[in-house]
Amino acid sequence: MDLITGDYSDMIQMDNTYLDRIAQRKELVTTRLHDVIGAGDSRVKPAINELYSWMLGVYLPQRFPTMFKLQPHPSTTNSKSERHQTLKSLVTGDEYPVIPPEDQEVALKTVACIIDEECLLLLPATDGDGYILGASIWVFQNGVRIAGRVGCRIRDIHRPVPEYKKRLEKSMDRYFAKIPVGKFMRRESWSICTRPELYNPSNSQIAFDPDKVRKRPSPPHHTSRSVNPQLQCNLHIDHQTLHRLPDSKALLLAFHQYKTPLSELRDEDDGKTAEALLMGIEGLAKSTTPGMAKYKLVEYWEEDVKRYLRREE
């Protein structure tokens, strides 16, 4: 997975797109609740409560004090007790109690509408065989359908990934089990996305089905092996972090997704960004992992994107 050591300041990414993206997240949480939020069962409740309390009561006001502020609950005066505090967003004006709500789904909805980060809570399987997805916030889905996968083993969710079972399954189970509290890891991954929307679960040949992991034919918008890189294609980057929550001992996998139009990247840094991306595409197309290029839909966009980046169009 190419994980490297990071620190807690790496977890939440903030930039000038925050307000617009939070508005989109709120709309999706309202209109597609059970597609983007998976609350799990009672076993994951301590982890959800810990994530909620830590994020609202500690991380956000300390990491971003110009954006978030703890203040007394309107019904109290000058109380510093956590039970009587709220977190106020100085960006949106929204206020939220620091104490997690009783309803697990409501707690996850709240977190999803405050941070522009996807959060997956991983728990050891009850039979000791690997880890499961205990609960999920995954609003901006790109090429995946996570609905119905809460409670599934991580290895089953990754089954469509080429060579995962052969090369990564056992090592990842061992790695997850050994991560201590206080160790914070991060990584980045990239792909070419042929749709500009942030919520785009059908952008890949791979979909997650509630009953089984299955492969589909090419997505509806890939009716031919031709795309318009200038108008359609984006560089999609996942900034991922992984650490263990200290009280519940659940693993928190969080990630922020960036989408940058190729039209913005082609001239960046005197063309050096385009050159680096071309090298990456060549490497992906020639991947030694069987099936990886097909999994990434390279055949649908490779030639058009390379011509565009080389200005051959």
Side-chain angles (χ1 to χ4, degrees):
M1 288 181 66
D2 299 323
L3 288 160
I4 62 175
T5 301
D7 60 56
Y8 289 97
S9 64
D10 293 325
M11 180 177 172
I12 303 297
Q13 305 297 301
M14 291 289 182
D15 57 34
N16 60 9
T17 65
Y18 172 78
L19 192 57
D20 176 64
R21 288 172 58 126
I22 285 296
Q24 292 185 60
R25 292 176 74 85
K26 288 179 177 178
E27 180 179 359
L28 286 165
V29 167
T30 299
T31 60
R32 296 182 174 273
L33 175 61
H34 294 114
D35 290 330
V36 301
I37 300 292
D41 57 26
S42 60
R43 182 170 170 244
V44 75
K45 185 175 179 61
I48 293 175
N49 288 350
E50 185 176 8
L51 169 62
Y52 182 102
S53 298
W54 175 65
M55 188 60 64
L56 275 68
V58 180
Y59 188 92
L60 290 176
Q62 291 185 5
R63 178 70 179 87
F64 303 104
T66 62
M67 297 179 66
F68 301 96
K69 180 182 179 181
L70 288 175
Q71 60 184 26
H73 192 278
S75 63
T76 64
T77 56
N78 300 321
S79 174
K80 293 185 178 181
S81 167
E82 183 183 74
R83 188 169 298 278
H84 299 130
Q85 285 186 314
T86 61
L87 178 75
K88 180 171 184 178
S89 169
L90 304 178
V91 180
T92 65
D94 297 333
E95 294 185 32
Y96 304 93
V98 173
I99 295 295
E102 186 63 29
D103 190 310
Q104 297 175 202
E105 187 172 83
V106 172
L108 293 173
K109 286 168 55 179
T110 300
V111 174
C113 293
I114 297 176
I115 61 173
D116 185 16
E117 252 17 67
E118 315 307 342
C119 296
L120 307 182
L121 289 167
L122 312 183
L123 302 177
T126 54
D127 61 3
D129 183 15
Y131 271 69
I132 66 166
L133 177 61
S136 66
I137 297 170
W138 199 335
V139 180
F140 294 149
Q141 297 177 27
N142 181 63
V144 298
R145 296 182 187 276
I146 200 65
R149 303 311 294 173
V150 169
C152 293
R153 297 183 199 272
I154 301 303
R155 70 169 70 106
D156 293 332
I157 295 174
H158 280 91
R159 194 181 301 162
V161 178
E163 299 290 284
Y164 183 86
K165 181 174 181 62
K166 180 179 178 181
R167 298 187 179 187
L168 290 174
E169 180 181 306
K170 291 183 178 179
S171 62
M172 289 312 304
D173 285 345
R174 290 193 297 268
Y175 183 79
F176 286 158
K178 291 180 179 179
I179 294 178
V181 171
K183 186 173 184 179
F184 192 94
M185 307 302 294
R186 64 182 178 86
R187 72 183 290 262
E188 289 186 347
S189 63
W190 70 275
S191 62
I192 297 294
C193 179
T194 57
R195 294 283 294 275
E197 300 92 344
L198 288 167
Y199 178 76
N200 185 28
S202 62
N203 188 66
S204 172
Q205 284 185 291
I206 304 302
F208 293 139
D209 183 89
D211 301 313
K212 60 182 178 179
V213 179
R214 60 186 175 88
K215 286 191 176 182
R216 301 187 303 169
S218 58
H221 56 278
H222 283 131
T223 55
S224 68
R225 287 175 170 79
S226 180
V227 296
N228 185 328
Q230 182 174 4
L231 299 179
Q232 294 176 274
C233 293
N234 293 259
L235 174 63
H236 179 101
I237 294 178
D238 279 343
H239 175 89
Q240 304 171 5
T241 62
L242 178 69
H243 74 284
R244 191 177 299 280
L245 297 177
D247 295 332
S248 65
K249 301 300 189 292
L251 288 175
L252 172 59
L253 173 61
F255 52 100
H256 184 91
Q257 303 178 72
Y258 297 92
K259 275 189 177 180
T260 306
L262 296 189
S263 57
E264 294 182 15
L265 294 176
R266 188 168 68 168
D267 298 322
E268 187 178 273
D269 197 16
D270 295 326
K272 293 179 181 178
T273 299
E275 291 178 12
L277 185 53
L278 280 166
M279 291 179 62
I281 292 171
E282 292 286 352
L284 181 61
K286 298 176 181 177
S287 173
T288 58
T289 301
M292 185 57 71
K294 185 174 182 179
Y295 175 74
K296 293 285 189 177
L297 285 172
V298 173
E299 62 185 300
Y300 288 94
W301 51 258
E302 179 186 9
E303 294 305 319
D304 291 312
V305 167
K306 289 196 297 187
R307 280 196 298 269
Y308 178 73
L309 293 175
R310 292 169 178 157
R311 295 181 174 276
E312 296 174 355
E313 78 283 9

